[in-house]
Amino acid sequence: MKYSPDEAKELKAKYDRDGYVALRGFLSPDQLQTLKDNLRRYVDEVVPTLPKEDAFFEKKGDPTTLKQLIRMSDNDAFFAEMQNQGDFREVAEILLGRGVAPQNLQFFNKPAKIGAPTPAHQDGYYWMITPMEGLTMWLALEDVDEENGCVRYARGSHADGVREHGWTNTLGFSQGIQDFPNASDQANEVVMRAQGGDLLIHDAMTVHWADGNSSETRSRQAMGLVYYSDRAKTDDIAREAYKKKLHESLQAAGKI
């Protein structure tokens, strides 16, 4: 147990109020190094065996521009254990206030100089679940700030419902909020700088975005874990229609 009952209550209250919470130093230096070692192993040994839909690159065919890996917990025992057992799951249960259903474990990167901006969006728009009970964890693997594209939140935006989204040209983030930024987004923007081992967690409806990586030398690497509540149900027909359209769009753009 990572949190006492009082600590858990305080943590959930902050999360419910703001739509996000930051847990600084969630992983120790040793835990972070173990994770990085397994990530390198995964990239070297597992990625070459994956279907094209599970690994994305900023420049197709250039392995040095790795942008995103998805469904890692489906493809590797270390990452399955990371998502399904232990501290990450415990925190998800605290914040959602009930049992959880692990959904996805991903790797994100913005390579130096070419890492693209992440358009403003709400994760729940992609998920198509009812009730809309879910969260995303964003674990920094290295120091992140404005230069290399830190996450930004609109505090309290989770309480305002689903915003209208439309297609973007950003690989891995096909939908973006159409009226962003509105006055509330601007007034409530929070810049989330982080150090390696820090964990940022946001609600399915929290508006968030990130700039591109303008650094000449620094990457911006992170892991993402998604959990739904154990009573959330997916609209499978709508999800499959979206995935089909996304696949066709990626093919047309020459991304896969």
Side-chain angles (χ1 to χ4, degrees):
M1 177 69 70
K2 198 176 183 73
Y3 296 95
S4 70
D6 286 345
E7 290 171 332
K9 183 178 180 180
E10 181 180 359
L11 188 64
K12 180 167 173 53
K14 291 180 180 178
Y15 175 81
D16 289 344
R17 180 192 67 207
D18 295 334
Y20 69 90
V21 68
L23 304 180
R24 305 299 181 181
F26 186 79
L27 290 190
S28 70
D30 287 345
Q31 290 172 320
L32 182 60
Q33 188 58 55
T34 297
L35 174 55
K36 289 181 176 181
D37 291 343
N38 278 277
L39 176 60
R40 281 193 290 270
R41 175 188 55 78
Y42 187 92
V43 170
D44 291 342
E45 299 177 7
V46 181
V47 169
T49 73
L50 296 177
K52 294 180 292 184
E53 294 81 4
D54 283 4
F56 298 98
F57 300 84
E58 292 282 2
K59 295 181 180 179
K60 186 178 179 181
D62 183 351
T64 67
T65 66
L66 180 63
K67 172 184 174 64
Q68 186 177 3
L69 301 169
I70 64 175
R71 290 186 283 270
M72 296 175 68
S73 54
D74 292 343
N75 298 316
D76 187 82
F78 174 86
F79 292 105
E81 182 176 355
M82 174 179 168
Q83 180 165 42
N84 296 326
Q85 304 175 29
D87 293 341
F88 292 97
R89 183 167 187 153
E90 178 194 348
V91 171
E93 290 174 344
I94 289 171
L95 297 182
L96 289 175
R98 58 182 303 115
V100 299
Q103 296 297 312
N104 196 1
L105 191 153
Q106 308 178 64
F107 166 76
F108 298 100
N109 182 35
K110 290 182 185 289
K113 297 186 288 186
I114 63 171
T118 303
H121 64 284
Q122 296 165 295
D123 292 340
Y125 183 90
Y126 295 85
W127 295 347
M128 303 173 191
I129 59 174
T130 303
M132 186 57 73
E133 296 175 350
L135 56 77
T136 298
M137 297 181 172
W138 196 94
L139 176 69
L141 299 181
E142 55 193 344
D143 292 354
V144 182
D145 53 32
E146 294 91 334
E147 181 185 49
N148 62 343
C150 60
V151 175
R152 298 168 186 258
Y153 292 133
R155 181 186 287 117
S157 56
H158 64 305
D160 296 332
V162 181
R163 303 268 288 273
E164 182 178 355
H165 288 60
W167 287 92
T168 75
N169 293 319
T170 302
L171 181 65
F173 298 94
S174 62
Q175 299 281 337
I177 295 173
Q178 295 298 284
D179 66 344
F180 179 85
N182 63 25
S184 181
D185 297 328
Q186 293 173 322
N188 292 289
E189 178 180 356
V190 181
V191 178
M192 300 300 294
R193 304 177 190 90
Q195 295 181 321
D198 289 351
L199 184 66
L200 312 180
I201 311 172
H202 59 263
D203 181 81
M205 287 289 93
T206 300
V207 174
H208 59 290
W209 65 101
D211 292 336
N213 187 348
S214 62
S215 170
E216 292 292 321
T217 59
R218 300 165 59 207
S219 59
R220 194 221 66 173
Q221 299 186 5
M223 304 296 297
L225 299 88
V226 173
Y227 295 89
Y228 298 166
S229 84
D230 57 5
R231 66 181 174 187
K233 304 298 182 184
T234 303
D235 184 335
D236 292 328
I237 294 176
R239 173 73 70 86
E240 288 305 313
Y242 166 74
K243 288 169 64 176
K244 183 175 184 292
K245 186 174 182 181
L246 174 60
H247 184 82
E248 292 170 349
S249 298
L250 291 171
Q251 282 187 319
K255 299 295 187 180
I256 60 173

